[in-house]
Amino acid sequence: MTYIAKPKLHHPGLPKNALGFTHRDYEGSISTLCAGCGHDSISAALIQACFELAIEPHRVAKLSGIGCSSKTPDYFLGNSHGFNSVHGRMPSVLTGANLANRDLIYLGVSGDGDSASIGLGQFAHCVRRGVNMVYICENNGVYGLTKGQFSATADKGSKSKTAVNSDSPIDLVSLALVLGATFVARGFSGDKQQLVPLIKAALAHQGPAILDVISPCVQFNNSPESTKSYEFVRAHNEAVNRLDFIIPREPIHVQYAPGTTEEVTQHDGSKILLHKLDESYDPHNREAAMTFLHAKAKAGEVVTGLLYLDRDAEDLHAHLKTVKVPLNRLSEKDLCPGSKAIDAVNAEYR
Ligand SMILES: Cc1ncc(C[n+]2csc(CCOP(=O)(O)OP(=O)(O)O)c2C)c(N)n1
Ligand code: SF4
Ligand SMILES: [Mg+2]
């Protein structure tokens, strides 16, 4: 319960990360979600990823919309910045915050209703603009918070208590690829081993990192035929790769057979060891990724893993050529160069 504070005390033997923080330092309030909700597993994966990366909590800004999924930022990183925006409007608020202060790590947390229904336009524009962020959609194919209406990712033909969905679903991963996202992945809340390194790699990515995480709702849309249920994903999960994520200061200890593992260096020097489960799958080919996803979806498979990565990604600040100093730290002198400078600029257009 959010009003019950977690005890501050913890076992003195809890492991500490490079900053001397324990896992507890990355937790938040006690969750009010239903027992078994996939969203809680994603919060746990986020806590583990940030603990292992030794991220300073005050450097993270969590932004969300409205929904059970959008409530979750209260349940992790209690010492970080947080902003719960309006339904479907998280991306524009995140974009504004990112433009004002490029020094923070931006974590957008949303749901399938929040992102693919009311917020579809906002989702599209923040991706195509290249905002540097990790965007997690906790995808259960339903409006959980408002009691089970179909969202825009619900399967065609799926049933609620009162209706059958006749609309075609939107696949956020395919959409993110079309829109130019430079890091695209799909995870499953029931597979933390796959999800934690995906989150870590996304956090290190300098650009829009889209993570669609299938996160079953145990109250609604939970039939075995639903492509967002535990049963379905466990039976049809086609993982194309698995990752080990290595931060720049860490040596690589993992042994791997050449040909089956690819070492990918990101802009910040972090390395992704990509263990290929499907050798034919190339996560650097946007067009091939789209074709592959469509073929597998037709065959009833749910593809998970790192689906696309652009190693040379650039973010919105690079596109706009903004200064390296965060804009909110510029002084009046920097922002108002004086009438002579303005006259010179105006003269260029005459
Ligand atoms: C402008 C506006 N329209 C509708 C709502 C009602 N509403 C609240 S949450 C929600 C859907 C949430 O679904 P999703 O984003 O998938 O989150 P989930 O609860 O499934 O995690 C809706 C329609 C609202 N809060 N604001
Ligand atoms: S209604 Fe569904 S999405 Fe919301 S907390 Fe319960 S299980 Fe999770
Ligand atoms: Mg939902």
Side-chain angles (χ1 to χ4, degrees), residues 127 130-131 176 180-184 205-210 266 283 286 306 308-315:
V127 174
V131 180
T182 48
F183 181 113
V184 182
H205 185 70
Q206 301 294 305
I210 307 303
Q266 295 209 94
R286 193 183 285 277
L306 177 58
Y308 179 70
L309 175 68
D310 178 351
R311 282 166 283 203
D312 304 316
E314 280 191 335
D315 82 325

Side-chain angles (χ1 to χ4, degrees), residues 115-311:
S115 288
S117 300
I118 194 170
L120 188 62
Q122 295 244 335
F123 171 80
H125 291 293
C126 77
V127 174
R128 84 177 175 89
R129 284 186 178 131
V131 180
N132 187 14
M133 63 185 170
V134 176
Y135 189 122
I136 296 190
C137 179
E138 303 189 346
N139 192 347
N140 51 19
V142 74
Y143 295 173
L145 189 75
T146 51
K147 307 248 175 283
Q149 300 86 350
F150 303 123
S151 79
T153 69
D155 305 317
K156 192 171 184 167
S158 58
K159 297 183 187 81
S160 73
K161 276 184 192 156
T162 51
V164 177
N165 181 30
S166 55
D167 300 335
S168 299
I170 290 174
D171 176 24
L172 285 172
V173 153
S174 302
L175 194 58
L177 285 167
V178 172
L179 292 166
T182 48
F183 181 113
V184 182
R186 186 183 280 129
F188 170 42
S189 66
D191 188 347
K192 205 169 164 191
Q193 244 190 330
Q194 182 195 44
L195 186 56
V196 173
L198 281 177
I199 294 173
K200 287 162 83 175
L203 283 164
H205 185 70
Q206 301 294 305
I210 307 303
L211 205 39
D212 179 37
V213 186
I214 298 172
S215 178
C217 170
V218 293
Q219 296 292 345
F220 310 103
N221 196 27
N222 195 24
S223 64
E225 315 82 63
S226 162
T227 57
K228 311 292 186 294
S229 67
Y230 285 112
E231 245 170 305
F232 188 93
V233 182
R234 283 196 183 118
H236 300 272
N237 187 349
E238 165 108 12
V240 286
N241 49 43
R242 294 224 159 228
L243 322 183
D244 278 312
F245 178 76
I246 293 142
I247 43 182
R249 56 183 181 270
E250 276 181 342
I252 300 176
H253 291 305
V254 192
Q255 296 289 322
Y256 54 86
T260 56
T261 296
E262 186 194 342
E263 191 180 302
V264 186
T265 307
Q266 295 209 94
H267 258 211
D268 66 340
S270 63
K271 289 193 193 306
I272 297 173
L273 293 185
L274 204 57
H275 308 287
K276 297 177 193 171
L277 299 180
D278 179 335
E279 278 189 48
S280 68
Y281 191 79
D282 176 8
H284 308 297
N285 186 333
R286 193 183 285 277
E287 292 74 26
M290 291 187 220
T291 311
F292 184 88
L293 283 166
H294 288 161
K296 290 291 176 184
K298 253 188 168 174
E301 300 295 326
V302 180
V303 181
T304 58
L306 177 58
L307 304 174
Y308 179 70
L309 175 68
D310 178 351
R311 282 166 283 203

